[in-house]
Amino acid sequence: MGTGLRNEMVAVPPGRVTLSDRRTQRSWPVEVAPFRMSACQVTQSLYAEVTGRRPSTAQGDLLPVEGVSWWDAVRFCNALSEREALTPAYRLHADDETAEWDASADGYRLPAEAEWEHACRAGTTGPRYGTLDEIAWYQGNSGGRIHPVGGKQPNAWGLYDMLGNAWDWCWDIYDAEVYGTYRVLRGGGWSDAHWSCRASVRRRSHPAFRIDDVGFRIIRR
């Protein structure tokens, strides 16, 4: 994979995906409009270019940026949008720690959970879009560390590391009634067992939480 791919945006067609929650035994269909998604997770070099910061535990230009909170991710999206003269997708209110998504904006943003799963599946219906060892860095093959983006096979739409390597922050609140402001994480990471690296697996975390197996990827319309 060439280093230029770190900035490539891939067209994701419209479709329909059924989300499910193992805890509540609930499932619900969602219609997904077309969008463009970064072929890879945001790298440390791109994050540094935009923010001037290198927060990750493991350092390397082509490693996914990790150790970033949900708030860090949405601020990055706005900063990248402004750098490219696009309309920022988020209105952030630091005083009460709330964020609003302007759906009419053309700037970068985090994927909604349904967009993420639709993009991950790339038209497939099984738990994964390929053989796990060929498409993902996870507990069984990562050697206990994160790896450069794009080192495994992409899915049918040209998206790399949708499973494994680092979890992706999504826009959505996980379950406000039970978990308050906790946001959705998707995809599994380099230290996770094989069962966590599936298209349907949902995890949650506080939006201010930072850890070395959580990063993000970006989309725009």
Side-chain angles (χ1 to χ4, degrees), residues 76-199:
F76 170 89
C77 289
N78 276 1
L80 181 60
S81 297
E82 290 168 356
R83 190 176 82 157
E84 297 189 7
L86 301 170
T87 303
Y90 302 122
R91 290 188 288 270
L92 307 179
H93 308 286
D95 51 347
D96 60 357
E97 294 191 339
T98 60
E100 299 174 61
W101 168 19
D102 177 3
S104 68
D106 62 356
Y108 294 95
R109 59 182 177 85
L110 299 181
E113 181 178 15
E115 291 171 324
W116 186 96
E117 185 165 332
H118 174 59
C120 177
R121 290 188 177 281
T124 63
T125 57
R128 304 180 182 96
Y129 52 86
T131 303
L132 185 58
D133 279 300
E134 296 177 354
I135 64 172
W137 297 111
Y138 70 108
Q139 187 183 78
N141 66 6
S142 69
R145 61 184 175 87
I146 202 165
H147 289 258
V149 300
K152 291 291 187 176
Q153 292 179 4
N155 69 12
W157 293 343
L159 299 168
Y160 293 82
D161 305 308
M162 292 299 296
L163 298 177
N165 219 22
W167 290 84
D168 289 330
W169 285 112
C170 291
W171 163 257
D172 308 62
I173 289 177
Y174 185 87
D175 184 336
E177 291 185 7
V178 178
Y179 298 102
T181 61
Y182 277 42
R183 299 282 173 164
V184 170
L185 292 167
R186 286 302 201 108
W190 58 266
S191 65
D192 285 279
H194 63 91
W195 55 264
S196 281
C197 298
R198 291 180 289 126

Side-chain angles (χ1 to χ4, degrees), residues 26-57:
R26 225 172 30 99
S27 63
W28 60 102
V30 182
E31 297 291 336
V32 179
F35 59 91
R36 286 177 286 167
M37 174 177 270
S38 54
C40 300
Q41 292 168 315
V42 172
T43 60
Q44 293 181 23
S45 61
L46 180 59
Y47 193 84
E49 285 173 25
V50 175
T51 69
R53 297 177 56 243
R54 286 185 175 269
S56 304
T57 300

